Amino acid sequence: SSSSAASDVYKRQSATIVRIADVHQFAGHIACDAASNSEIVLPIIYEKKVIAVLDIDSPLLDRFDEIDQQYLAQIVDIFVKSTDLKQCR
């Protein structure tokens, strides 16, 4: 997705996970899919730097909750620990 939420997380180097219940209420949202109604953005951090984001959209409003966030954060953590990210510095 090219959402402004994903861009903001990356540009600001924010370690904060962003859940957006209704992307149409999010100022400056850039939809890459017209069916997108909610979104979660998780920073991928390597050596204290945001090197990428995992950005997941849903056609359902308010699709992502704390449990989704918890498990997706674990997936990102596994990805970071099991991937050679040296080239992303």
Side-chain angles (χ1 to χ4, degrees), residues 56-82:
I56 302 172
D57 298 337
S58 173
L60 304 175
L61 290 170
D62 203 17
R63 165 61 184 91
F64 304 103
D65 60 19
E66 290 179 23
I67 294 171
D68 297 314
Q69 179 175 326
Q70 175 186 343
Y71 286 115
L72 288 168
Q74 289 178 13
I75 290 168
V76 167
D77 189 48
I78 291 166
F79 169 78
V80 168
K81 289 177 179 174
S82 63

mmCIF file with all atom_site columns, all heavy atoms in Angstrom, residues 56-82:
data_model
loop_
_atom_site.group_PDB
_atom_site.id
_atom_site.type_symbol
_atom_site.label_atom_id
_atom_site.label_alt_id
_atom_site.label_comp_id
_atom_site.label_asym_id
_atom_site.label_entity_id
_atom_site.label_seq_id
_atom_site.pdbx_PDB_ins_code
_atom_site.Cartn_x
_atom_site.Cartn_y
_atom_site.Cartn_z
_atom_site.occupancy
_atom_site.B_iso_or_equiv
_atom_site.pdbx_formal_charge
_atom_site.auth_seq_id
_atom_site.auth_comp_id
_atom_site.auth_asym_id
_atom_site.auth_atom_id
_atom_site.pdbx_PDB_model_num
ATOM 1   N N   . ILE A 1 56 ? -0.737  -3.613  5.880  1.00 0.00 ? 56 ILE A N   1
ATOM 2   C CA  . ILE A 1 56 ? -1.811  -4.531  5.501  1.00 0.00 ? 56 ILE A CA  1
ATOM 3   C C   . ILE A 1 56 ? -3.133  -3.769  5.483  1.00 0.00 ? 56 ILE A C   1
ATOM 4   O O   . ILE A 1 56 ? -3.483  -3.097  6.452  1.00 0.00 ? 56 ILE A O   1
ATOM 5   C CB  . ILE A 1 56 ? -1.903  -5.713  6.488  1.00 0.00 ? 56 ILE A CB  1
ATOM 6   C CG1 . ILE A 1 56 ? -0.567  -6.454  6.546  1.00 0.00 ? 56 ILE A CG1 1
ATOM 7   C CG2 . ILE A 1 56 ? -3.038  -6.656  6.082  1.00 0.00 ? 56 ILE A CG2 1
ATOM 8   C CD1 . ILE A 1 56 ? -0.498  -7.518  7.620  1.00 0.00 ? 56 ILE A CD1 1
ATOM 9   N N   . ASP A 1 57 ? -3.839  -3.871  4.368  1.00 0.00 ? 57 ASP A N   1
ATOM 10  C CA  . ASP A 1 57 ? -5.135  -3.219  4.205  1.00 0.00 ? 57 ASP A CA  1
ATOM 11  C C   . ASP A 1 57 ? -6.246  -4.262  4.302  1.00 0.00 ? 57 ASP A C   1
ATOM 12  O O   . ASP A 1 57 ? -6.021  -5.444  4.060  1.00 0.00 ? 57 ASP A O   1
ATOM 13  C CB  . ASP A 1 57 ? -5.236  -2.554  2.827  1.00 0.00 ? 57 ASP A CB  1
ATOM 14  C CG  . ASP A 1 57 ? -4.205  -1.468  2.629  1.00 0.00 ? 57 ASP A CG  1
ATOM 15  O OD1 . ASP A 1 57 ? -3.706  -0.918  3.623  1.00 0.00 ? 57 ASP A OD1 1
ATOM 16  O OD2 . ASP A 1 57 ? -3.897  -1.153  1.460  1.00 0.00 ? 57 ASP A OD2 1
ATOM 17  N N   . SER A 1 58 ? -7.440  -3.784  4.628  1.00 0.00 ? 58 SER A N   1
ATOM 18  C CA  . SER A 1 58 ? -8.609  -4.660  4.673  1.00 0.00 ? 58 SER A CA  1
ATOM 19  C C   . SER A 1 58 ? -9.814  -3.931  4.088  1.00 0.00 ? 58 SER A C   1
ATOM 20  O O   . SER A 1 58 ? -9.961  -2.724  4.275  1.00 0.00 ? 58 SER A O   1
ATOM 21  C CB  . SER A 1 58 ? -8.919  -5.057  6.109  1.00 0.00 ? 58 SER A CB  1
ATOM 22  O OG  . SER A 1 58 ? -10.140 -5.776  6.167  1.00 0.00 ? 58 SER A OG  1
ATOM 23  N N   . PRO A 1 59 ? -10.689 -4.675  3.429  1.00 0.00 ? 59 PRO A N   1
ATOM 24  C CA  . PRO A 1 59 ? -11.923 -4.065  2.943  1.00 0.00 ? 59 PRO A CA  1
ATOM 25  C C   . PRO A 1 59 ? -12.937 -3.837  4.066  1.00 0.00 ? 59 PRO A C   1
ATOM 26  O O   . PRO A 1 59 ? -13.941 -3.161  3.867  1.00 0.00 ? 59 PRO A O   1
ATOM 27  C CB  . PRO A 1 59 ? -12.449 -5.073  1.916  1.00 0.00 ? 59 PRO A CB  1
ATOM 28  C CG  . PRO A 1 59 ? -11.887 -6.382  2.358  1.00 0.00 ? 59 PRO A CG  1
ATOM 29  C CD  . PRO A 1 59 ? -10.548 -6.057  2.980  1.00 0.00 ? 59 PRO A CD  1
ATOM 30  N N   . LEU A 1 60 ? -12.668 -4.379  5.251  1.00 0.00 ? 60 LEU A N   1
ATOM 31  C CA  . LEU A 1 60 ? -13.577 -4.235  6.393  1.00 0.00 ? 60 LEU A CA  1
ATOM 32  C C   . LEU A 1 60 ? -13.168 -3.044  7.246  1.00 0.00 ? 60 LEU A C   1
ATOM 33  O O   . LEU A 1 60 ? -11.982 -2.835  7.505  1.00 0.00 ? 60 LEU A O   1
ATOM 34  C CB  . LEU A 1 60 ? -13.559 -5.493  7.257  1.00 0.00 ? 60 LEU A CB  1
ATOM 35  C CG  . LEU A 1 60 ? -13.887 -6.807  6.557  1.00 0.00 ? 60 LEU A CG  1
ATOM 36  C CD1 . LEU A 1 60 ? -13.715 -7.970  7.519  1.00 0.00 ? 60 LEU A CD1 1
ATOM 37  C CD2 . LEU A 1 60 ? -15.291 -6.767  5.989  1.00 0.00 ? 60 LEU A CD2 1
ATOM 38  N N   . LEU A 1 61 ? -14.134 -2.268  7.702  1.00 0.00 ? 61 LEU A N   1
ATOM 39  C CA  . LEU A 1 61 ? -13.848 -1.196  8.646  1.00 0.00 ? 61 LEU A CA  1
ATOM 40  C C   . LEU A 1 61 ? -13.433 -1.796  9.983  1.00 0.00 ? 61 LEU A C   1
ATOM 41  O O   . LEU A 1 61 ? -13.939 -2.845  10.387 1.00 0.00 ? 61 LEU A O   1
ATOM 42  C CB  . LEU A 1 61 ? -15.091 -0.313  8.842  1.00 0.00 ? 61 LEU A CB  1
ATOM 43  C CG  . LEU A 1 61 ? -15.478 0.564   7.656  1.00 0.00 ? 61 LEU A CG  1
ATOM 44  C CD1 . LEU A 1 61 ? -16.840 1.186   7.883  1.00 0.00 ? 61 LEU A CD1 1
ATOM 45  C CD2 . LEU A 1 61 ? -14.425 1.646   7.426  1.00 0.00 ? 61 LEU A CD2 1
ATOM 46  N N   . ASP A 1 62 ? -12.495 -1.144  10.652 1.00 0.00 ? 62 ASP A N   1
ATOM 47  C CA  . ASP A 1 62 ? -12.051 -1.548  11.991 1.00 0.00 ? 62 ASP A CA  1
ATOM 48  C C   . ASP A 1 62 ? -11.660 -3.022  12.053 1.00 0.00 ? 62 ASP A C   1
ATOM 49  O O   . ASP A 1 62 ? -11.975 -3.728  13.003 1.00 0.00 ? 62 ASP A O   1
ATOM 50  C CB  . ASP A 1 62 ? -13.142 -1.217  13.015 1.00 0.00 ? 62 ASP A CB  1
ATOM 51  C CG  . ASP A 1 62 ? -12.588 -1.085  14.422 1.00 0.00 ? 62 ASP A CG  1
ATOM 52  O OD1 . ASP A 1 62 ? -11.362 -0.926  14.576 1.00 0.00 ? 62 ASP A OD1 1
ATOM 53  O OD2 . ASP A 1 62 ? -13.384 -1.153  15.366 1.00 0.00 ? 62 ASP A OD2 1
ATOM 54  N N   . ARG A 1 63 ? -10.960 -3.492  11.030 1.00 0.00 ? 63 ARG A N   1
ATOM 55  C CA  . ARG A 1 63 ? -10.618 -4.912  10.898 1.00 0.00 ? 63 ARG A CA  1
ATOM 56  C C   . ARG A 1 63 ? -9.558  -5.375  11.888 1.00 0.00 ? 63 ARG A C   1
ATOM 57  O O   . ARG A 1 63 ? -9.567  -6.495  12.361 1.00 0.00 ? 63 ARG A O   1
ATOM 58  C CB  . ARG A 1 63 ? -10.152 -5.189  9.466  1.00 0.00 ? 63 ARG A CB  1
ATOM 59  C CG  . ARG A 1 63 ? -9.433  -6.506  9.236  1.00 0.00 ? 63 ARG A CG  1
ATOM 60  C CD  . ARG A 1 63 ? -10.335 -7.691  9.583  1.00 0.00 ? 63 ARG A CD  1
ATOM 61  N NE  . ARG A 1 63 ? -9.641  -8.943  9.460  1.00 0.00 ? 63 ARG A NE  1
ATOM 62  C CZ  . ARG A 1 63 ? -8.970  -9.568  10.432 1.00 0.00 ? 63 ARG A CZ  1
ATOM 63  N NH1 . ARG A 1 63 ? -8.873  -9.027  11.626 1.00 0.00 ? 63 ARG A NH1 1
ATOM 64  N NH2 . ARG A 1 63 ? -8.396  -10.715 10.234 1.00 0.00 ? 63 ARG A NH2 1
ATOM 65  N N   . PHE A 1 64 ? -8.611  -4.495  12.220 1.00 0.00 ? 64 PHE A N   1
ATOM 66  C CA  . PHE A 1 64 ? -7.449  -4.910  13.011 1.00 0.00 ? 64 PHE A CA  1
ATOM 67  C C   . PHE A 1 64 ? -7.606  -4.497  14.471 1.00 0.00 ? 64 PHE A C   1
ATOM 68  O O   . PHE A 1 64 ? -7.933  -3.359  14.779 1.00 0.00 ? 64 PHE A O   1
ATOM 69  C CB  . PHE A 1 64 ? -6.176  -4.305  12.406 1.00 0.00 ? 64 PHE A CB  1
ATOM 70  C CG  . PHE A 1 64 ? -6.006  -4.678  10.960 1.00 0.00 ? 64 PHE A CG  1
ATOM 71  C CD1 . PHE A 1 64 ? -6.305  -3.774  9.956  1.00 0.00 ? 64 PHE A CD1 1
ATOM 72  C CD2 . PHE A 1 64 ? -5.593  -5.951  10.598 1.00 0.00 ? 64 PHE A CD2 1
ATOM 73  C CE1 . PHE A 1 64 ? -6.167  -4.115  8.618  1.00 0.00 ? 64 PHE A CE1 1
ATOM 74  C CE2 . PHE A 1 64 ? -5.459  -6.301  9.264  1.00 0.00 ? 64 PHE A CE2 1
ATOM 75  C CZ  . PHE A 1 64 ? -5.751  -5.387  8.275  1.00 0.00 ? 64 PHE A CZ  1
ATOM 76  N N   . ASP A 1 65 ? -7.342  -5.460  15.372 1.00 0.00 ? 65 ASP A N   1
ATOM 77  C CA  . ASP A 1 65 ? -7.455  -5.181  16.799 1.00 0.00 ? 65 ASP A CA  1
ATOM 78  C C   . ASP A 1 65 ? -6.117  -5.446  17.480 1.00 0.00 ? 65 ASP A C   1
ATOM 79  O O   . ASP A 1 65 ? -5.112  -5.713  16.827 1.00 0.00 ? 65 ASP A O   1
ATOM 80  C CB  . ASP A 1 65 ? -8.592  -5.998  17.429 1.00 0.00 ? 65 ASP A CB  1
ATOM 81  C CG  . ASP A 1 65 ? -8.404  -7.509  17.301 1.00 0.00 ? 65 ASP A CG  1
ATOM 82  O OD1 . ASP A 1 65 ? -7.268  -7.968  17.062 1.00 0.00 ? 65 ASP A OD1 1
ATOM 83  O OD2 . ASP A 1 65 ? -9.401  -8.225  17.451 1.00 0.00 ? 65 ASP A OD2 1
ATOM 84  N N   . GLU A 1 66 ? -6.111  -5.380  18.802 1.00 0.00 ? 66 GLU A N   1
ATOM 85  C CA  . GLU A 1 66 ? -4.871  -5.580  19.558 1.00 0.00 ? 66 GLU A CA  1
ATOM 86  C C   . GLU A 1 66 ? -4.297  -6.981  19.373 1.00 0.00 ? 66 GLU A C   1
ATOM 87  O O   . GLU A 1 66 ? -3.078  -7.158  19.386 1.00 0.00 ? 66 GLU A O   1
ATOM 88  C CB  . GLU A 1 66 ? -5.118  -5.296  21.038 1.00 0.00 ? 66 GLU A CB  1
ATOM 89  C CG  . GLU A 1 66 ? -5.360  -3.834  21.327 1.00 0.00 ? 66 GLU A CG  1
ATOM 90  C CD  . GLU A 1 66 ? -5.619  -3.562  22.796 1.00 0.00 ? 66 GLU A CD  1
ATOM 91  O OE1 . GLU A 1 66 ? -5.199  -4.369  23.649 1.00 0.00 ? 66 GLU A OE1 1
ATOM 92  O OE2 . GLU A 1 66 ? -6.237  -2.526  23.081 1.00 0.00 ? 66 GLU A OE2 1
ATOM 93  N N   . ILE A 1 67 ? -5.151  -7.960  19.221 1.00 0.00 ? 67 ILE A N   1
ATOM 94  C CA  . ILE A 1 67 ? -4.667  -9.333  19.017 1.00 0.00 ? 67 ILE A CA  1
ATOM 95  C C   . ILE A 1 67 ? -3.977  -9.447  17.660 1.00 0.00 ? 67 ILE A C   1
ATOM 96  O O   . ILE A 1 67 ? -2.892  -10.026 17.556 1.00 0.00 ? 67 ILE A O   1
ATOM 97  C CB  . ILE A 1 67 ? -5.816  -10.351 19.156 1.00 0.00 ? 67 ILE A CB  1
ATOM 98  C CG1 . ILE A 1 67 ? -6.323  -10.357 20.595 1.00 0.00 ? 67 ILE A CG1 1
ATOM 99  C CG2 . ILE A 1 67 ? -5.360  -11.754 18.728 1.00 0.00 ? 67 ILE A CG2 1
ATOM 100 C CD1 . ILE A 1 67 ? -7.583  -11.151 20.831 1.00 0.00 ? 67 ILE A CD1 1
ATOM 101 N N   . ASP A 1 68 ? -4.583  -8.876  16.613 1.00 0.00 ? 68 ASP A N   1
ATOM 102 C CA  . ASP A 1 68 ? -3.918  -8.849  15.300 1.00 0.00 ? 68 ASP A CA  1
ATOM 103 C C   . ASP A 1 68 ? -2.565  -8.155  15.417 1.00 0.00 ? 68 ASP A C   1
ATOM 104 O O   . ASP A 1 68 ? -1.559  -8.642  14.902 1.00 0.00 ? 68 ASP A O   1
ATOM 105 C CB  . ASP A 1 68 ? -4.774  -8.093  14.265 1.00 0.00 ? 68 ASP A CB  1
ATOM 106 C CG  . ASP A 1 68 ? -6.093  -8.757  13.995 1.00 0.00 ? 68 ASP A CG  1
ATOM 107 O OD1 . ASP A 1 68 ? -6.115  -9.984  13.804 1.00 0.00 ? 68 ASP A OD1 1
ATOM 108 O OD2 . ASP A 1 68 ? -7.117  -8.039  13.972 1.00 0.00 ? 68 ASP A OD2 1
ATOM 109 N N   . GLN A 1 69 ? -2.562  -7.023  16.099 1.00 0.00 ? 69 GLN A N   1
ATOM 110 C CA  . GLN A 1 69 ? -1.331  -6.259  16.262 1.00 0.00 ? 69 GLN A CA  1
ATOM 111 C C   . GLN A 1 69 ? -0.265  -7.090  16.972 1.00 0.00 ? 69 GLN A C   1
ATOM 112 O O   . GLN A 1 69 ? 0.888   -7.117  16.557 1.00 0.00 ? 69 GLN A O   1
ATOM 113 C CB  . GLN A 1 69 ? -1.620  -4.981  17.049 1.00 0.00 ? 69 GLN A CB  1
ATOM 114 C CG  . GLN A 1 69 ? -0.401  -4.131  17.288 1.00 0.00 ? 69 GLN A CG  1
ATOM 115 C CD  . GLN A 1 69 ? -0.723  -2.819  17.959 1.00 0.00 ? 69 GLN A CD  1
ATOM 116 O OE1 . GLN A 1 69 ? -1.782  -2.242  17.708 1.00 0.00 ? 69 GLN A OE1 1
ATOM 117 N NE2 . GLN A 1 69 ? 0.163   -2.333  18.791 1.00 0.00 ? 69 GLN A NE2 1
ATOM 118 N N   . GLN A 1 70 ? -0.666  -7.773  18.031 1.00 0.00 ? 70 GLN A N   1
ATOM 119 C CA  . GLN A 1 70 ? 0.278   -8.589  18.799 1.00 0.00 ? 70 GLN A CA  1
ATOM 120 C C   . GLN A 1 70 ? 0.906   -9.682  17.930 1.00 0.00 ? 70 GLN A C   1
ATOM 121 O O   . GLN A 1 70 ? 2.127   -9.852  17.924 1.00 0.00 ? 70 GLN A O   1
ATOM 122 C CB  . GLN A 1 70 ? -0.448  -9.219  19.981 1.00 0.00 ? 70 GLN A CB  1
ATOM 123 C CG  . GLN A 1 70 ? 0.391   -10.174 20.789 1.00 0.00 ? 70 GLN A CG  1
ATOM 124 C CD  . GLN A 1 70 ? -0.428  -10.881 21.862 1.00 0.00 ? 70 GLN A CD  1
ATOM 125 O OE1 . GLN A 1 70 ? -1.529  -10.456 22.211 1.00 0.00 ? 70 GLN A OE1 1
ATOM 126 N NE2 . GLN A 1 70 ? 0.112   -11.957 22.391 1.00 0.00 ? 70 GLN A NE2 1
ATOM 127 N N   . TYR A 1 71 ? 0.079   -10.417 17.193 1.00 0.00 ? 71 TYR A N   1
ATOM 128 C CA  . TYR A 1 71 ? 0.612   -11.514 16.381 1.00 0.00 ? 71 TYR A CA  1
ATOM 129 C C   . TYR A 1 71 ? 1.383   -11.023 15.162 1.00 0.00 ? 71 TYR A C   1
ATOM 130 O O   . TYR A 1 71 ? 2.404   -11.609 14.790 1.00 0.00 ? 71 TYR A O   1
ATOM 131 C CB  . TYR A 1 71 ? -0.501  -12.480 15.981 1.00 0.00 ? 71 TYR A CB  1
ATOM 132 C CG  . TYR A 1 71 ? -0.942  -13.340 17.154 1.00 0.00 ? 71 TYR A CG  1
ATOM 133 C CD1 . TYR A 1 71 ? -2.215  -13.231 17.681 1.00 0.00 ? 71 TYR A CD1 1
ATOM 134 C CD2 . TYR A 1 71 ? -0.062  -14.232 17.748 1.00 0.00 ? 71 TYR A CD2 1
ATOM 135 C CE1 . TYR A 1 71 ? -2.619  -14.001 18.774 1.00 0.00 ? 71 TYR A CE1 1
ATOM 136 C CE2 . TYR A 1 71 ? -0.439  -15.002 18.834 1.00 0.00 ? 71 TYR A CE2 1
ATOM 137 C CZ  . TYR A 1 71 ? -1.715  -14.882 19.341 1.00 0.00 ? 71 TYR A CZ  1
ATOM 138 O OH  . TYR A 1 71 ? -2.091  -15.640 20.416 1.00 0.00 ? 71 TYR A OH  1
ATOM 139 N N   . LEU A 1 72 ? 0.927   -9.952  14.552 1.00 0.00 ? 72 LEU A N   1
ATOM 140 C CA  . LEU A 1 72 ? 1.676   -9.399  13.425 1.00 0.00 ? 72 LEU A CA  1
ATOM 141 C C   . LEU A 1 72 ? 3.026   -8.866  13.880 1.00 0.00 ? 72 LEU A C   1
ATOM 142 O O   . LEU A 1 72 ? 4.031   -9.013  13.177 1.00 0.00 ? 72 LEU A O   1
ATOM 143 C CB  . LEU A 1 72 ? 0.856   -8.317  12.712 1.00 0.00 ? 72 LEU A CB  1
ATOM 144 C CG  . LEU A 1 72 ? -0.324  -8.839  11.910 1.00 0.00 ? 72 LEU A CG  1
ATOM 145 C CD1 . LEU A 1 72 ? -1.238  -7.688  11.497 1.00 0.00 ? 72 LEU A CD1 1
ATOM 146 C CD2 . LEU A 1 72 ? 0.131   -9.634  10.694 1.00 0.00 ? 72 LEU A CD2 1
ATOM 147 N N   . ALA A 1 73 ? 3.083   -8.277  15.064 1.00 0.00 ? 73 ALA A N   1
ATOM 148 C CA  . ALA A 1 73 ? 4.360   -7.812  15.612 1.00 0.00 ? 73 ALA A CA  1
ATOM 149 C C   . ALA A 1 73 ? 5.304   -8.989  15.842 1.00 0.00 ? 73 ALA A C   1
ATOM 150 O O   . ALA A 1 73 ? 6.516   -8.885  15.604 1.00 0.00 ? 73 ALA A O   1
ATOM 151 C CB  . ALA A 1 73 ? 4.136   -7.033  16.903 1.00 0.00 ? 73 ALA A CB  1
ATOM 152 N N   . GLN A 1 74 ? 4.770   -10.120 16.280 1.00 0.00 ? 74 GLN A N   1
ATOM 153 C CA  . GLN A 1 74 ? 5.602   -11.316 16.455 1.00 0.00 ? 74 GLN A CA  1
ATOM 154 C C   . GLN A 1 74 ? 6.128   -11.816 15.108 1.00 0.00 ? 74 GLN A C   1
ATOM 155 O O   . GLN A 1 74 ? 7.277   -12.247 15.011 1.00 0.00 ? 74 GLN A O   1
ATOM 156 C CB  . GLN A 1 74 ? 4.816   -12.410 17.166 1.00 0.00 ? 74 GLN A CB  1
ATOM 157 C CG  . GLN A 1 74 ? 4.558   -12.109 18.622 1.00 0.00 ? 74 GLN A CG  1
ATOM 158 C CD  . GLN A 1 74 ? 3.721   -13.182 19.303 1.00 0.00 ? 74 GLN A CD  1
ATOM 159 O OE1 . GLN A 1 74 ? 3.509   -14.264 18.780 1.00 0.00 ? 74 GLN A OE1 1
ATOM 160 N NE2 . GLN A 1 74 ? 3.240   -12.867 20.494 1.00 0.00 ? 74 GLN A NE2 1
ATOM 161 N N   . ILE A 1 75 ? 5.288   -11.752 14.082 1.00 0.00 ? 75 ILE A N   1
ATOM 162 C CA  . ILE A 1 75 ? 5.722   -12.165 12.741 1.00 0.00 ? 75 ILE A CA  1
ATOM 163 C C   . ILE A 1 75 ? 6.847   -11.261 12.252 1.00 0.00 ? 75 ILE A C   1
ATOM 164 O O   . ILE A 1 75 ? 7.856   -11.736 11.709 1.00 0.00 ? 75 ILE A O   1
ATOM 165 C CB  . ILE A 1 75 ? 4.533   -12.172 11.762 1.00 0.00 ? 75 ILE A CB  1
ATOM 166 C CG1 . ILE A 1 75 ? 3.579   -13.319 12.114 1.00 0.00 ? 75 ILE A CG1 1
ATOM 167 C CG2 . ILE A 1 75 ? 5.005   -12.265 10.312 1.00 0.00 ? 75 ILE A CG2 1
ATOM 168 C CD1 . ILE A 1 75 ? 2.244   -13.264 11.406 1.00 0.00 ? 75 ILE A CD1 1
ATOM 169 N N   . VAL A 1 76 ? 6.696   -9.959  12.445 1.00 0.00 ? 76 VAL A N   1
ATOM 170 C CA  . VAL A 1 76 ? 7.747   -9.017  12.044 1.00 0.00 ? 76 VAL A CA  1
ATOM 171 C C   . VAL A 1 76 ? 9.026   -9.320  12.813 1.00 0.00 ? 76 VAL A C   1
ATOM 172 O O   . VAL A 1 76 ? 10.119  -9.326  12.238 1.00 0.00 ? 76 VAL A O   1
ATOM 173 C CB  . VAL A 1 76 ? 7.287   -7.554  12.247 1.00 0.00 ? 76 VAL A CB  1
ATOM 174 C CG1 . VAL A 1 76 ? 8.466   -6.589  12.153 1.00 0.00 ? 76 VAL A CG1 1
ATOM 175 C CG2 . VAL A 1 76 ? 6.212   -7.191  11.237 1.00 0.00 ? 76 VAL A CG2 1
ATOM 176 N N   . ASP A 1 77 ? 8.921   -9.598  14.101 1.00 0.00 ? 77 ASP A N   1
ATOM 177 C CA  . ASP A 1 77 ? 10.086  -9.914  14.917 1.00 0.00 ? 77 ASP A CA  1
ATOM 178 C C   . ASP A 1 77 ? 10.799  -11.172 14.404 1.00 0.00 ? 77 ASP A C   1
ATOM 179 O O   . ASP A 1 77 ? 12.023  -11.199 14.289 1.00 0.00 ? 77 ASP A O   1
ATOM 180 C CB  . ASP A 1 77 ? 9.665   -10.085 16.378 1.00 0.00 ? 77 ASP A CB  1
ATOM 181 C CG  . ASP A 1 77 ? 10.843  -10.207 17.315 1.00 0.00 ? 77 ASP A CG  1
ATOM 182 O OD1 . ASP A 1 77 ? 11.783  -9.388  17.214 1.00 0.00 ? 77 ASP A OD1 1
ATOM 183 O OD2 . ASP A 1 77 ? 10.835  -11.129 18.161 1.00 0.00 ? 77 ASP A OD2 1
ATOM 184 N N   . ILE A 1 78 ? 10.031  -12.196 14.082 1.00 0.00 ? 78 ILE A N   1
ATOM 185 C CA  . ILE A 1 78 ? 10.614  -13.431 13.527 1.00 0.00 ? 78 ILE A CA  1
ATOM 186 C C   . ILE A 1 78 ? 11.305  -13.138 12.206 1.00 0.00 ? 78 ILE A C   1
ATOM 187 O O   . ILE A 1 78 ? 12.417  -13.605 11.950 1.00 0.00 ? 78 ILE A O   1
ATOM 188 C CB  . ILE A 1 78 ? 9.531   -14.522 13.352 1.00 0.00 ? 78 ILE A CB  1
ATOM 189 C CG1 . ILE A 1 78 ? 9.044   -15.004 14.714 1.00 0.00 ? 78 ILE A CG1 1
ATOM 190 C CG2 . ILE A 1 78 ? 10.042  -15.683 12.500 1.00 0.00 ? 78 ILE A CG2 1
ATOM 191 C CD1 . ILE A 1 78 ? 7.765   -15.826 14.667 1.00 0.00 ? 78 ILE A CD1 1
ATOM 192 N N   . PHE A 1 79 ? 10.658  -12.342 11.362 1.00 0.00 ? 79 PHE A N   1
ATOM 193 C CA  . PHE A 1 79 ? 11.248  -11.965 10.075 1.00 0.00 ? 79 PHE A CA  1
ATOM 194 C C   . PHE A 1 79 ? 12.594  -11.265 10.271 1.00 0.00 ? 79 PHE A C   1
ATOM 195 O O   . PHE A 1 79 ? 13.590  -11.615 9.626  1.00 0.00 ? 79 PHE A O   1
ATOM 196 C CB  . PHE A 1 79 ? 10.287  -11.054 9.289  1.00 0.00 ? 79 PHE A CB  1
ATOM 197 C CG  . PHE A 1 79 ? 10.903  -10.425 8.086  1.00 0.00 ? 79 PHE A CG  1
ATOM 198 C CD1 . PHE A 1 79 ? 11.066  -11.154 6.921  1.00 0.00 ? 79 PHE A CD1 1
ATOM 199 C CD2 . PHE A 1 79 ? 11.325  -9.109  8.125  1.00 0.00 ? 79 PHE A CD2 1
ATOM 200 C CE1 . PHE A 1 79 ? 11.658  -10.580 5.806  1.00 0.00 ? 79 PHE A CE1 1
ATOM 201 C CE2 . PHE A 1 79 ? 11.915  -8.529  7.015  1.00 0.00 ? 79 PHE A CE2 1
ATOM 202 C CZ  . PHE A 1 79 ? 12.080  -9.258  5.853  1.00 0.00 ? 79 PHE A CZ  1
ATOM 203 N N   . VAL A 1 80 ? 12.631  -10.290 11.175 1.00 0.00 ? 80 VAL A N   1
ATOM 204 C CA  . VAL A 1 80 ? 13.861  -9.531  11.408 1.00 0.00 ? 80 VAL A CA  1
ATOM 205 C C   . VAL A 1 80 ? 14.970  -10.445 11.941 1.00 0.00 ? 80 VAL A C   1
ATOM 206 O O   . VAL A 1 80 ? 16.113  -10.375 11.492 1.00 0.00 ? 80 VAL A O   1
ATOM 207 C CB  . VAL A 1 80 ? 13.607  -8.347  12.373 1.00 0.00 ? 80 VAL A CB  1
ATOM 208 C CG1 . VAL A 1 80 ? 14.910  -7.730  12.845 1.00 0.00 ? 80 VAL A CG1 1
ATOM 209 C CG2 . VAL A 1 80 ? 12.720  -7.303  11.704 1.00 0.00 ? 80 VAL A CG2 1
ATOM 210 N N   . LYS A 1 81 ? 14.622  -11.328 12.865 1.00 0.00 ? 81 LYS A N   1
ATOM 211 C CA  . LYS A 1 81 ? 15.623  -12.215 13.464 1.00 0.00 ? 81 LYS A CA  1
ATOM 212 C C   . LYS A 1 81 ? 16.122  -13.293 12.507 1.00 0.00 ? 81 LYS A C   1
ATOM 213 O O   . LYS A 1 81 ? 17.222  -13.808 12.670 1.00 0.00 ? 81 LYS A O   1
ATOM 214 C CB  . LYS A 1 81 ? 15.061  -12.868 14.727 1.00 0.00 ? 81 LYS A CB  1
ATOM 215 C CG  . LYS A 1 81 ? 14.913  -11.882 15.866 1.00 0.00 ? 81 LYS A CG  1
ATOM 216 C CD  . LYS A 1 81 ? 14.286  -12.527 17.071 1.00 0.00 ? 81 LYS A CD  1
ATOM 217 C CE  . LYS A 1 81 ? 14.172  -11.512 18.198 1.00 0.00 ? 81 LYS A CE  1
ATOM 218 N NZ  . LYS A 1 81 ? 13.435  -12.031 19.347 1.00 0.00 ? 81 LYS A NZ  1
ATOM 219 N N   . SER A 1 82 ? 15.321  -13.644 11.513 1.00 0.00 ? 82 SER A N   1
ATOM 220 C CA  . SER A 1 82 ? 15.698  -14.752 10.634 1.00 0.00 ? 82 SER A CA  1
ATOM 221 C C   . SER A 1 82 ? 16.145  -14.307 9.242  1.00 0.00 ? 82 SER A C   1
ATOM 222 O O   . SER A 1 82 ? 16.381  -15.142 8.373  1.00 0.00 ? 82 SER A O   1
ATOM 223 C CB  . SER A 1 82 ? 14.533  -15.737 10.504 1.00 0.00 ? 82 SER A CB  1
ATOM 224 O OG  . SER A 1 82 ? 13.420  -15.103 9.895  1.00 0.00 ? 82 SER A OG  1
#
